[in-house]
Amino acid sequence: MTLLSPRPLGRTLRRIALAAALTLPATPAFAEEAADISGAQRIVSIGGSVTEIMYALGEEGRLVARDSTSGFPDAATALPDVGYMRALSPEGVLSVKPDAILMLDGSGPPEALAVLREAGVPYVAVPETYDRAGILGKIEKVGEAIGAGDKAAKLSEQVAAELDAAINEAKARGRDARVLFILSMNGGRILASGTGTAANGIIEMAGATNAMGVFEGYKQINDEALIAAAPDVILMISRGEGHTASADQVFANASLAQTPAGQNKRLIQMDGLYLIGFGPRTGAAVRDLSAALADMGL
């Protein structure tokens, strides 16, 4: 088993919430024109990658709170936590007296955002797609929204170079590895990633093939489909100390044990926000995932 984490493991509940946030489809809360928050000095950041970008831009001094998926950098965890990005409490957000909200598309629920809008708190929704363009687009959108376009342009250039180098290195390996991303195995039921997900995006960036590329989104898969998928390696999110499954526990599943991954005990576990957050560190995550696959002979 390969366990990769760029930082010490954090609180389990935060990581579980993050996993859920990163695996649900992003949908805009409102179709209205984005507000002007370029002069805002008390910003609530909703979405782990949005918070990372604020720090990477050197604009963290304008943050007064963040959501529970924002666990990097460590300094961000010292900010007040206004809750899970898809289950925000208007009262919690308003308690920090924000003059703006910067959020990933899909944050909500819509009812909570309607209350915040009526309270006069402007917001900007940041769209995302799970690819190179999506990462750079988020950086540019955040920079534009907060009036830091020049900083964003420099960061975007740096991140683009890191992404291109990592993706090209992975592609040059010419690997033919089939990777199965498993979100959960609760009750022995395997919830796996299909296409159109962050997991699918990172697998492709690392030059591998999604073993479950036959459906879209996340679905429970039966034993027959799992065996037929024949994954070479299992990829999972590390849940935190005492809550990360070992290779023996994962491959105790009878169907997984029959796959090439199970027969060779190939399991990679990585920090969730690092692996599928699609933020400034994704180039490094691609390089780490690709290296882990190479260490397994894939």
Side-chain angles (χ1 to χ4, degrees):
M1 177 180 73
T2 298
L3 177 62
L4 300 174
S5 178
R7 289 281 179 176
L9 295 173
R11 289 171 291 185
T12 301
L13 290 178
R14 188 180 75 214
R15 293 184 182 277
I16 292 173
L18 169 64
L22 294 174
T23 54
L24 290 171
T27 53
F30 293 100
E32 65 191 34
E33 184 177 352
D36 180 1
I37 65 168
S38 58
Q41 296 299 315
R42 296 185 59 81
I43 300 172
V44 173
S45 177
I46 307 297
S49 59
V50 171
T51 302
E52 280 198 46
I53 291 168
M54 286 291 291
Y55 275 84
L57 291 174
E59 295 289 336
E60 67 274 13
R62 296 164 69 179
L63 296 178
V64 293
R66 47 90 190 184
D67 75 309
S68 59
T69 72
S70 297
F72 184 87
D74 289 343
T77 62
L79 293 168
D81 183 347
V82 297
Y84 174 46
M85 63 179 287
R86 299 183 192 275
L88 296 173
S89 163
E91 294 78 12
V93 175
L94 292 173
S95 70
V96 298
K97 298 179 174 56
D99 57 11
I101 302 170
L102 193 58
M103 68 180 77
L104 279 179
D105 267 351
S107 300
E111 295 80 6
L113 298 184
V115 171
L116 294 170
R117 181 178 55 178
E118 291 173 5
V121 182
Y123 71 88
V124 170
V126 180
E128 71 173 344
T129 56
Y130 305 122
D131 52 21
R132 176 187 185 277
I135 296 168
L136 302 181
K138 280 196 283 189
I139 293 171
E140 292 164 6
K141 182 66 175 181
V142 171
E144 174 190 357
I146 65 171
D150 289 344
K151 288 184 177 181
K154 292 180 181 178
L155 178 61
S156 183
E157 182 178 357
Q158 173 190 331
V159 170
E162 293 170 354
L163 282 168
D164 290 342
I167 292 169
N168 289 336
E169 287 174 13
K171 184 177 180 180
R173 295 182 185 272
R175 63 170 46 101
D176 186 25
R178 295 175 61 79
V179 178
L180 174 63
F181 179 86
I182 296 178
L183 179 61
S184 73
M185 298 179 64
N186 292 337
R189 295 185 295 273
I190 293 179
L191 184 62
S193 167
T195 62
T197 65
N200 183 79
I202 199 73
I203 289 169
E204 291 185 345
M205 282 183 167
T209 299
N210 183 352
M212 278 295 167
V214 295
F215 60 79
E216 186 173 0
Y218 285 82
K219 292 183 180 179
Q220 285 187 355
I221 53 176
N222 59 34
D223 294 342
E224 293 77 12
L226 179 58
I227 295 171
D232 296 304
V233 62
I234 304 302
L235 177 61
M236 299 179 72
I237 291 173
S238 56
R239 302 291 188 186
E241 188 174 359
H243 294 271
T244 295
S246 68
D248 287 340
Q249 290 171 320
V250 171
F251 296 120
N253 179 285
S255 297
L256 277 177
Q258 298 180 55
T259 67
Q263 292 164 2
N264 294 284
K265 296 291 181 71
R266 295 191 186 115
L267 172 65
I268 297 173
Q269 294 176 292
M270 296 175 66
D271 175 86
L273 185 57
Y274 182 61
L275 177 66
I276 54 176
F278 279 74
R281 297 179 296 157
T282 297
V286 169
R287 184 171 286 110
D288 283 351
L289 177 56
S290 180
L293 291 169
D295 288 344
M296 292 177 170
L298 300 172

